[in-house]
Amino acid sequence: MPASDHIKIARIVRVNHAGEFSAIRIYAAQILVSSIFWKPVAAELQDLRSHEVTHCDLFRSAMPDRQSRPCRTMSLWGRGGWLLDLLTALLGPKAIWTCTEIVEDRVHHHLSAQLRYLAKRDEPLHDLIASIQAEEEGHLSLARQHVGKHSTFSRMLAAPITAAVEAVIWLSTWDGSARMNRDLSGAGA
Ligand SMILES: [Fe+2]
Ligand SMILES: [Fe+2]
């Protein structure tokens, strides 16, 4: 395998690890707010957060074999995610699930592109990501169930939340996520 593929694979693991780290903080902020105002929502979110902790650990343990290290700007990613969701959670359960839907939808797209790339390049990582993606799909469909039909309110929230999520992703991986997307769109399957 060419050296450039090793670099791309190391970047995939780093960006995914940072993403899971951020997801843990995002859910922590939502749990903090909903445990005060909307307790049943907090219980559901607790479950999702526990999956993200496992995903984060799995990507961390996939790093050494791929000469990958945690993202240096990861704490910024985590803080950005925490603040984003603290603010949206204060708007109520509908906003919490709208934000969750947007975040999980982004995750789903990233993972699908990675799976196509990794299929013939790193089978163990491909299989790990496929199993994680199955759980992320569960998060996405749960969020979609709660959001239900998109209302004017959820549509109004979608644009600023999407922009904030993209900004947090870009900033916290210091362009690593954008470079990963360029890597994957330019690479054959
Ligand atoms: Fe995850
Ligand atoms: Fe998730």
Side-chain angles (χ1 to χ4, degrees):
M1 191 162 63
S4 62
D5 276 345
H6 286 292
I7 293 169
K8 287 171 190 170
I9 290 170
R11 187 175 289 144
I12 287 173
V13 184
R14 188 166 63 246
V15 169
N16 288 7
H17 177 252
E20 298 294 351
F21 182 85
S22 175
I24 294 168
R25 268 77 197 163
I26 285 174
Y27 283 118
Q30 291 180 334
I31 291 164
L32 177 71
V33 174
S34 52
S35 63
I36 300 168
F37 301 109
W38 308 286
K39 287 200 189 321
V41 178
E44 281 188 286
L45 296 170
Q46 242 357 314
D47 244 17
L48 306 193
R49 184 183 177 278
S50 72
H51 296 162
E52 310 300 4
V53 170
T54 307
H55 302 166
C56 193
D57 291 346
L58 288 168
F59 283 125
R60 182 68 187 89
S61 44
M63 283 180 161
D65 286 351
R66 295 168 180 84
Q67 283 79 48
S68 186
R69 277 176 305 173
C71 204
R72 272 172 297 162
T73 49
M74 206 166 68
S75 66
L76 178 66
W77 169 298
R79 261 181 248 136
W82 187 85
L83 186 65
L84 166 70
D85 257 49
L86 188 75
L87 296 175
T88 52
L90 289 168
L91 297 173
K94 193 87 171 173
I96 288 177
W97 291 114
T98 299
C99 190
T100 303
E101 183 186 2
I102 291 166
V103 171
E104 295 289 353
D105 187 58
R106 298 310 302 147
V107 168
H108 182 73
H109 278 95
H110 278 298
L111 299 186
S112 295
Q114 293 171 9
L115 287 174
R116 285 192 293 276
Y117 176 79
L118 292 168
K120 290 181 193 145
R121 294 176 172 95
D122 187 333
E123 213 177 310
L125 184 60
H126 173 277
D127 295 350
L128 172 66
I129 292 178
S131 71
I132 287 175
Q133 191 188 35
E135 249 171 5
E136 306 292 13
E137 271 172 351
H139 300 176
L140 180 59
S141 68
L142 180 68
R144 282 188 175 145
Q145 271 171 38
H146 282 288
V147 171
K149 253 177 87 122
H150 279 274
S151 60
T152 311
F153 175 65
S154 65
R155 273 192 287 269
M156 272 169 55
L157 283 176
I161 292 176
T162 303
V165 166
E166 293 295 342
V168 167
I169 290 172
W170 191 91
L171 278 171
S172 48
T173 58
W174 212 241
D175 196 35
S177 59
R179 265 178 285 159
M180 182 191 73
N181 289 338
R182 285 196 294 273
D183 289 347
L184 298 186
S185 65

CSV table of all heavy atoms in Angstrom, one decimal, residues 7 12 31 34 38-39 42 63 76 95 110 113 127 131 139 141 146 150 163 168 175:
chain,number,residue,atom,x,y,z
A,7,ILE,N,-1.1,7.5,5.4
A,7,ILE,CA,-1.4,8.8,6.0
A,7,ILE,C,-2.9,9.1,6.0
A,7,ILE,O,-3.4,9.6,7.0
A,7,ILE,CB,-0.6,9.9,5.1
A,7,ILE,CG1,0.9,9.8,5.3
A,7,ILE,CG2,-1.1,11.3,5.6
A,7,ILE,CD1,1.7,10.6,4.3
A,12,ILE,N,-8.1,9.3,9.1
A,12,ILE,CA,-9.4,8.8,9.3
A,12,ILE,C,-9.6,8.5,10.8
A,12,ILE,O,-10.6,8.9,11.4
A,12,ILE,CB,-9.7,7.6,8.4
A,12,ILE,CG1,-9.9,8.0,7.0
A,12,ILE,CG2,-11.0,6.8,8.9
A,12,ILE,CD1,-10.1,6.9,6.0
A,31,ILE,N,-27.5,16.0,28.3
A,31,ILE,CA,-28.0,15.3,29.5
A,31,ILE,C,-28.1,16.3,30.7
A,31,ILE,O,-29.0,16.2,31.5
A,31,ILE,CB,-27.0,14.1,29.8
A,31,ILE,CG1,-27.2,13.1,28.7
A,31,ILE,CG2,-27.3,13.5,31.2
A,31,ILE,CD1,-26.1,12.0,28.7
A,34,SER,N,-31.3,18.4,30.1
A,34,SER,CA,-32.5,17.6,30.2
A,34,SER,C,-32.7,16.9,31.5
A,34,SER,O,-33.8,16.7,31.9
A,34,SER,CB,-32.6,16.6,29.0
A,34,SER,OG,-31.5,15.8,28.9
A,38,TRP,N,-36.2,17.9,31.5
A,38,TRP,CA,-36.9,16.8,30.7
A,38,TRP,C,-36.2,15.5,31.0
A,38,TRP,O,-35.5,14.9,30.2
A,38,TRP,CB,-36.8,17.1,29.2
A,38,TRP,CG,-37.3,18.5,28.9
A,38,TRP,CD1,-38.6,18.9,28.9
A,38,TRP,CD2,-36.5,19.6,28.5
A,38,TRP,NE1,-38.6,20.3,28.6
A,38,TRP,CE2,-37.4,20.7,28.4
A,38,TRP,CE3,-35.1,19.8,28.4
A,38,TRP,CZ2,-36.9,22.0,28.0
A,38,TRP,CZ3,-34.7,21.1,28.0
A,38,TRP,CH2,-35.5,22.1,27.8
A,39,LYS,N,-36.6,14.9,32.2
A,39,LYS,CA,-35.9,13.7,32.7
A,39,LYS,C,-35.9,12.5,31.8
A,39,LYS,O,-34.9,11.8,31.6
A,39,LYS,CB,-36.3,13.3,34.1
A,39,LYS,CG,-35.8,14.3,35.2
A,39,LYS,CD,-35.9,13.7,36.5
A,39,LYS,CE,-35.7,14.7,37.7
A,39,LYS,NZ,-34.6,15.7,37.5
A,42,ALA,N,-33.3,12.7,29.2
A,42,ALA,CA,-32.0,12.5,29.7
A,42,ALA,C,-31.7,11.0,29.8
A,42,ALA,O,-30.5,10.6,29.5
A,42,ALA,CB,-31.9,13.1,31.1
A,63,MET,N,-5.5,3.3,17.0
A,63,MET,CA,-4.4,4.3,16.6
A,63,MET,C,-3.0,3.7,16.5
A,63,MET,O,-2.4,4.0,15.5
A,63,MET,CB,-4.5,5.5,17.5
A,63,MET,CG,-5.6,6.4,17.3
A,63,MET,SD,-5.6,7.8,18.4
A,63,MET,CE,-6.6,8.9,17.5
A,76,LEU,N,-10.7,21.5,22.0
A,76,LEU,CA,-11.5,22.6,21.4
A,76,LEU,C,-12.8,22.0,20.8
A,76,LEU,O,-13.9,22.5,20.9
A,76,LEU,CB,-10.7,23.3,20.3
A,76,LEU,CG,-11.3,24.4,19.6
A,76,LEU,CD1,-11.7,25.6,20.5
A,76,LEU,CD2,-10.5,24.9,18.4
A,95,ALA,N,-35.4,20.7,20.0
A,95,ALA,CA,-34.1,21.2,19.6
A,95,ALA,C,-33.0,20.2,19.9
A,95,ALA,O,-32.1,20.0,19.0
A,95,ALA,CB,-33.8,22.5,20.3
A,110,HIS,N,-19.9,10.7,6.8
A,110,HIS,CA,-18.5,10.6,6.9
A,110,HIS,C,-18.1,9.1,6.9
A,110,HIS,O,-17.2,8.6,6.2
A,110,HIS,CB,-18.0,11.2,8.2
A,110,HIS,CG,-17.7,12.6,8.1
A,110,HIS,ND1,-16.9,13.2,7.3
A,110,HIS,CD2,-18.3,13.7,8.8
A,110,HIS,CE1,-16.9,14.5,7.4
A,110,HIS,NE2,-17.7,14.8,8.4
A,113,ALA,N,-18.5,7.2,3.5
A,113,ALA,CA,-17.3,7.5,2.6
A,113,ALA,C,-16.1,6.7,3.0
A,113,ALA,O,-15.4,6.2,2.2
A,113,ALA,CB,-17.1,9.0,2.6
A,127,ASP,N,-14.2,-3.1,9.2
A,127,ASP,CA,-15.2,-3.8,9.9
A,127,ASP,C,-15.5,-3.1,11.3
A,127,ASP,O,-16.7,-3.1,11.7
A,127,ASP,CB,-14.6,-5.3,10.2
A,127,ASP,CG,-14.5,-6.0,8.9
A,127,ASP,OD1,-15.0,-5.5,7.9
A,127,ASP,OD2,-13.9,-7.1,8.9
A,131,SER,N,-19.3,-1.7,12.2
A,131,SER,CA,-20.1,-2.1,13.4
A,131,SER,C,-20.5,-0.8,14.2
A,131,SER,O,-21.6,-0.7,14.7
A,131,SER,CB,-19.3,-3.0,14.3
A,131,SER,OG,-18.2,-2.4,14.9
A,139,HIS,N,-28.8,5.7,16.4
A,139,HIS,CA,-28.9,7.0,17.0
A,139,HIS,C,-29.7,7.9,16.1
A,139,HIS,O,-30.6,8.7,16.5
A,139,HIS,CB,-27.6,7.6,17.3
A,139,HIS,CG,-26.7,6.8,18.2
A,139,HIS,ND1,-25.4,7.2,18.5
A,139,HIS,CD2,-26.9,5.7,18.9
A,139,HIS,CE1,-24.9,6.3,19.3
A,139,HIS,NE2,-25.8,5.4,19.6
A,141,SER,N,-31.9,7.1,13.7
A,141,SER,CA,-33.3,6.8,13.5
A,141,SER,C,-34.1,7.2,14.8
A,141,SER,O,-35.2,7.6,14.7
A,141,SER,CB,-33.5,5.4,13.0
A,141,SER,OG,-33.2,4.5,14.0
A,146,HIS,N,-38.0,11.1,17.1
A,146,HIS,CA,-38.4,12.2,18.0
A,146,HIS,C,-38.7,13.5,17.3
A,146,HIS,O,-39.6,14.2,17.8
A,146,HIS,CB,-37.3,12.4,19.1
A,146,HIS,CG,-37.3,11.3,20.2
A,146,HIS,ND1,-38.3,11.3,21.1
A,146,HIS,CD2,-36.5,10.3,20.4
A,146,HIS,CE1,-38.0,10.3,21.9
A,146,HIS,NE2,-36.9,9.7,21.5
A,150,HIS,N,-40.9,17.5,10.1
A,150,HIS,CA,-40.1,18.7,10.3
A,150,HIS,C,-41.1,19.9,10.3
A,150,HIS,O,-41.9,20.1,9.4
A,150,HIS,CB,-39.1,18.9,9.2
A,150,HIS,CG,-37.9,18.1,9.5
A,150,HIS,ND1,-36.8,18.6,10.3
A,150,HIS,CD2,-37.5,16.9,9.1
A,150,HIS,CE1,-35.9,17.7,10.4
A,150,HIS,NE2,-36.3,16.6,9.7
A,163,ALA,N,-24.5,24.7,10.3
A,163,ALA,CA,-23.3,25.6,10.2
A,163,ALA,C,-22.4,25.5,11.4
A,163,ALA,O,-21.1,25.4,11.3
A,163,ALA,CB,-23.7,27.1,9.9
A,168,VAL,N,-17.5,23.6,14.1
A,168,VAL,CA,-16.8,22.8,15.2
A,168,VAL,C,-15.9,21.7,14.7
A,168,VAL,O,-14.8,21.5,15.1
A,168,VAL,CB,-17.9,22.3,16.2
A,168,VAL,CG1,-17.3,21.3,17.2
A,168,VAL,CG2,-18.6,23.4,17.0
A,175,ASP,N,-8.8,21.5,10.3
A,175,ASP,CA,-8.9,21.2,8.8
A,175,ASP,C,-8.7,19.7,8.5
A,175,ASP,O,-8.7,19.3,7.4
A,175,ASP,CB,-7.9,22.1,8.0
A,175,ASP,CG,-8.2,22.1,6.5
A,175,ASP,OD1,-9.4,22.0,6.2
A,175,ASP,OD2,-7.3,22.1,5.7
